[in-house]
Amino acid sequence: SQTVYVYAANGICTDEDSFNITISNAVVLDPIPAVTICTPYALPALEHGMYYTLQGGAGEQLAAGTLISSSQTVYVYVAGSTPACSAEQALVINVGIPPVFGFNNGCQGAAYIIEVVPVDASFDPLTATYSWSAANGGAINGSATGQSVVVSGAVAYTVVVTSGGCS
């Protein structure tokens, strides 16, 4: 903070005035990376600021620990000593839905085939990825990354289905 004086003279006339200048430290928030998660997301504690549902510190204030169960953007807002000294960062939260599936399986000729089938259209089988594995004594004949596999051996087979970042 500093006082500045202004002095003016015009012939025999003079005038003087003063005013104060206060420079406040800027509020800085670190960038917040987007979050993609397959279960409700608990808002973490913040070192600075509060969570809000709208920009500019408006809307509902959300406490750390609040569970976010649907995709949305929340805002971290820090009020400074003046509105020009405030800071805000958007936090984009993408909550995916884990794929729900069942199986169609049976013999087709001499081959035994296991196929992943989506339940209630919980994912698009054409855009999902698949990773199959077999217990000892079993074999996956051909690719282990398709919606269906040809198997041999009476053992447990495992598949991980990933869709929209969720497995």
Side-chain angles (χ1 to χ4, degrees):
S1 170
Q2 181 176 348
T3 302
V4 175
Y5 296 91
V6 178
Y7 177 78
N10 183 4
I12 60 170
C13 296
T14 63
D15 194 16
E16 180 179 301
D17 201 359
S18 66
F19 57 93
N20 289 325
I21 296 178
T22 301
I23 299 174
S24 301
N25 290 331
V27 177
V28 178
L29 287 173
D30 293 330
I32 302 172
V35 174
T36 298
I37 194 161
C38 301
T39 59
Y41 177 73
L43 294 174
L46 294 170
E47 186 175 335
H48 303 288
M50 293 296 299
Y51 295 105
Y52 293 91
T53 57
L54 299 174
Q55 294 178 316
E60 181 183 348
Q61 186 175 345
L62 303 172
T66 298
L67 291 178
I68 305 297
S69 57
S70 62
S71 296
Q72 61 188 279
T73 301
V74 297
Y75 301 90
V76 176
Y77 181 79
V78 176
S81 57
T82 65
C85 294
S86 299
E88 180 175 83
Q89 288 286 335
L91 169 58
V92 177
I93 303 168
N94 297 304
V95 180
I97 300 170
V100 179
F101 56 91
F103 298 99
N104 279 341
N105 52 304
C107 291
Q108 289 183 4
Y112 192 81
I113 298 175
I114 305 172
E115 177 184 26
V116 171
V117 179
V119 172
D120 296 330
S122 67
F123 67 97
D124 180 354
L126 299 177
T127 60
T129 60
Y130 306 87
S131 178
W132 291 86
S133 60
N136 287 339
I140 296 172
N141 303 322
S143 173
T145 59
Q147 182 180 357
S148 62
V149 290
V150 177
V151 298
S152 60
V155 299
Y157 293 90
T158 303
V159 63
V160 175
V161 179
T162 304
S163 178
C166 296
S167 298

